Amino acid sequence: MTDTSEPADEIGRLPAESVYRRGVWLRWGLLAVWGPGLVVMLADTDAGSLITAAQSGAGWGYRMVLPQLILMPILYVVQEMTVRLGIVTGRGHGALIRERFGRGWAWLSAFTLFASAIGALLTEFAGVAGVGELFGVSRWVSIPIATVMLLALALTGSYRRVERIGLAIGAAELAFLAAMVMARPRLDALLAGLSSMPLGNSSYLLLVAANVGAVIMPWMVFYQQGAVVDKQLSVATIRQARYDTAAGAVLTQLIMIAVVVTVAATAGTHQGGATLHTVGQISTALTPYLGRVGGTILFGLGMLGAALVAAIVASLAGAWGLSEVFGWRHTLNQRPNRATAKFYITYALAHLIGAVLVLGSVDLVNLAVDVEVMNALLLPIVLGLLLVLEAHALPEQWRMSGLRKYTTRTLCLVVIVFGLYMIPQALGWI
C-alpha cells in the first residue's frame, strides 16, 4: 500500500493512462485489475470455513447447498463496497476510519482487526498442521516451514508478485471440485435438497449461522481495500474490479458447495451425523468412499491451499490496518528498509505469534471455536463502520442509492444477526 500521506487523486491518476495499453489481456483487465477480489475470496474459503462446510454436509446433506448459493450475493455486496472505497479515495480502511472518526475509533478497529488476523492465522496454521499429519508430518515441521515460506513471500518487493503467488496457491482449492465429481452425488437427491431449508430446526439454523459467520471476516474488508490501493487502481477500472469481486464470490461459494456435496454424498449418506471437527476426521470419513487419492491427497491439497492463501491475506490485512492507523509507510512494492520496517515487523509478528500459539495448543478444535466467536463479536463493528464510510467518505456519485442501498444494508444486517446467533451455542450457553 502506498504511503497514506499521498493525495487520493494523485494515486487514482497513475494507472489510468497505462491500464488499457498493454495488449488484449490488459485491455480486458484480466491481468491489470483482476486479483484482489479473487485472492480475498479464495482466502474466505479458509480452513475453518471448509470444516464448517464439511460439518454441514455430514449433518444436513444437500439441504445445506441452498444457503451457500444465497451467500454469494451477500459476500459480493460487502466486498464491493471496499473496492469503491479503496479506488475512489486512495485510502485503506484503517486510514479512512482515522480520518473520518478520529484515532480512538481507528485504534479500536485496528486492534480488533489484528486480533481477528491472529485468530485467522491460528485457524490456518491448525489446518496446515492437520494436513501435515495426514501424511505423517509433525506440526513441529509443517508449521515452521509454512511460517518461513509466508515470511519470505512478503520480501519479494512487489504486490503483484505476492498476489499472483497467492492465486497460484489458492488454485489448489479446485481439488475440491475434483473430489465432488469423484463422490458421484445423486442429481435427484441434490435437487430435492435445494427445495428444503428447515429453518425451524435449531440445529440446522445454527449451522446456517456458522456458515454465514464464516463468509465475512473482518480482515477481508481491510485486505481488499488495501489491495486495490497497493495495486494503484483508478476509477476507470472499477467495473473490472467489480467483476473480479463477483467472480471470486461465485468461485469461493462453489468450493464451499463442492465440500458440502462431497461429504453429503459420502459420509453424510452412509454415516449421517458423523463428527467432523478436524482435518483428520474429515479425511478419515471420506477415504472409504473416495480412496486415498480423493480422501487424502485431493482433500489435503485443497485444504493446504485454502489455509495458506488465507494466512497470506489475514496477515497482510492485519499489518496494513495497524500501519494505516499509526501512519507507518506500508507497501509490498518496497522491500524492508527504515521507512517500511514497522510494517514488515508487524507482518512477521502476526505469523510468529500464530505459529507459537498453535504449536503450544493441545485442543485445536476449541481454539477454532474461540476464533469463530471472536469474529462474530467483531462483525457489528466492522460492517457498521463499512456502511458509514460508504455513505459519507465517498463523493455522492459513488455512493449507493435507492433499492441497492437498502438491499445492501439489509444483507449486512442479516450477516450480523446470524453471526451473533452462533455465539451462545459456540460458548456452550445453550
Side-chain angles (χ1 to χ4, degrees):
M1 190 183 303
T2 49
D3 193 321
T4 54
S5 64
E6 293 180 295
D9 59 342
E10 184 176 330
I11 293 175
R13 287 198 304 267
L14 289 177
E17 301 175 357
S18 60
V19 168
Y20 299 108
R21 296 180 181 177
R22 301 179 184 176
V24 175
W25 284 99
L26 295 184
R27 187 161 54 234
W28 287 98
L30 294 179
L31 294 178
V33 179
W34 284 43
L38 286 171
V39 170
V40 79
M41 298 301 184
L42 286 172
D44 184 40
T45 318
D46 66 349
S49 297
L50 293 175
I51 290 174
T52 300
Q55 292 172 333
S56 300
W60 289 94
Y62 302 118
R63 283 175 287 187
M64 271 296 176
V65 173
L66 184 56
Q68 303 297 340
L69 292 172
I70 295 173
L71 287 171
M72 285 182 186
I74 295 177
L75 185 55
Y76 169 75
V77 298
V78 171
Q79 293 302 124
E80 187 274 340
M81 284 189 283
T82 72
V83 169
R84 281 183 290 119
L85 282 168
I87 292 178
V88 175
T89 68
R91 295 287 188 269
H93 199 64
L96 274 184
I97 292 174
R98 183 184 64 184
E99 292 174 7
R100 289 283 168 172
F101 307 115
R103 286 190 176 274
W105 281 104
W107 288 342
L108 174 63
S109 66
F111 284 111
T112 55
L113 161 70
F114 196 70
S116 174
I118 294 295
L121 283 169
L122 295 179
T123 303
E124 312 323 330
F125 280 138
V128 170
V131 172
E133 288 165 358
L134 286 181
F135 299 95
V137 179
S138 167
R139 73 175 66 173
W140 291 93
V141 175
S142 59
I143 291 180
I145 290 176
T147 302
V148 171
M149 186 194 77
L150 292 168
L151 291 177
L153 181 62
L155 304 179
T156 60
S158 167
Y159 166 77
R160 292 176 184 271
R161 191 173 297 119
V162 172
E163 180 183 275
R164 290 167 187 167
I165 293 172
L167 284 172
I169 293 172
E173 295 181 52
L174 298 178
F176 290 118
L177 300 179
M180 179 178 66
V181 173
M182 293 178 64
R184 298 181 180 179
R186 289 173 47 202
L187 183 59
D188 58 336
L190 177 57
L191 293 176
L194 286 172
S195 63
S196 174
M197 283 184 67
L199 294 176
N201 186 296
S202 60
S203 177
Y204 179 84
L205 193 61
L206 178 65
L207 263 181
V208 171
N211 279 280
V212 172
V215 167
I216 305 298
M217 313 288 188
W219 42 267
M220 291 175 61
V221 171
F222 280 81
Y223 176 85
Q224 191 164 3
Q225 190 167 333
V228 298
V229 176
D230 220 18
K231 200 164 183 174
Q232 297 183 332
L233 299 184
S234 72
V235 293
T237 67
I238 284 184
R239 176 176 293 182
Q240 287 297 335
R242 284 170 171 161
Y243 293 159
D244 172 39
T245 302
V250 172
L251 178 59
T252 189
Q253 289 308 110
L254 286 178
I255 291 170
M256 290 286 282
I257 289 171
V259 175
V260 171
V261 171
T262 299
V263 177
T266 54
T269 299
H270 304 286
Q271 307 172 27
T275 301
L276 302 177
H277 294 301
T278 67
V279 172
Q281 289 173 347
I282 300 172
S283 177
T284 299
L286 293 178
T287 299
Y289 312 101
L290 304 183
R292 176 170 172 78
V293 171
T296 301
I297 297 177
L298 285 180
F299 174 77
L301 181 64
M303 182 65 77
L304 184 62
L308 290 177
V309 72
I312 294 170
V313 169
S315 56
L316 280 175
W320 275 339
L322 281 182
S323 298
E324 288 163 2
V325 169
F326 291 109
W328 304 334
R329 182 165 177 77
H330 45 290
T331 175
L332 288 175
N333 294 317
Q334 187 175 347
R335 287 192 171 91
N337 56 33
R338 184 171 296 179
T340 60
K342 293 177 181 177
F343 161 67
Y344 279 104
I345 289 173
T346 304
Y347 175 83
L349 280 177
H351 286 96
L352 294 174
I353 292 171
V356 169
L357 288 176
V358 171
L359 288 173
S361 175
V362 177
D363 191 348
L364 296 181
V365 174
N366 283 335
L367 191 63
V369 170
D370 293 339
V371 171
E372 290 178 1
V373 172
M374 181 179 65
N375 281 330
L377 287 170
L378 297 178
L379 272 178
I381 298 174
V382 173
L383 291 185
L385 288 173
L386 178 63
L387 289 170
V388 173
L389 285 173
E390 195 280 337
H392 297 285
L394 289 172
E396 188 172 354
Q397 68 267 31
W398 291 107
R399 299 173 190 169
M400 297 182 296
S401 60
L403 180 62
R404 180 186 174 193
K405 178 175 69 174
Y406 294 110
T407 300
T408 298
R409 290 179 177 177
T410 300
L411 292 176
C412 287
L413 181 62
V414 169
V415 173
I416 291 172
V417 170
F418 270 96
L420 295 176
Y421 175 81
M422 62 181 283
I423 292 176
Q425 181 71 30
L427 293 175
W429 294 347
I430 59 175

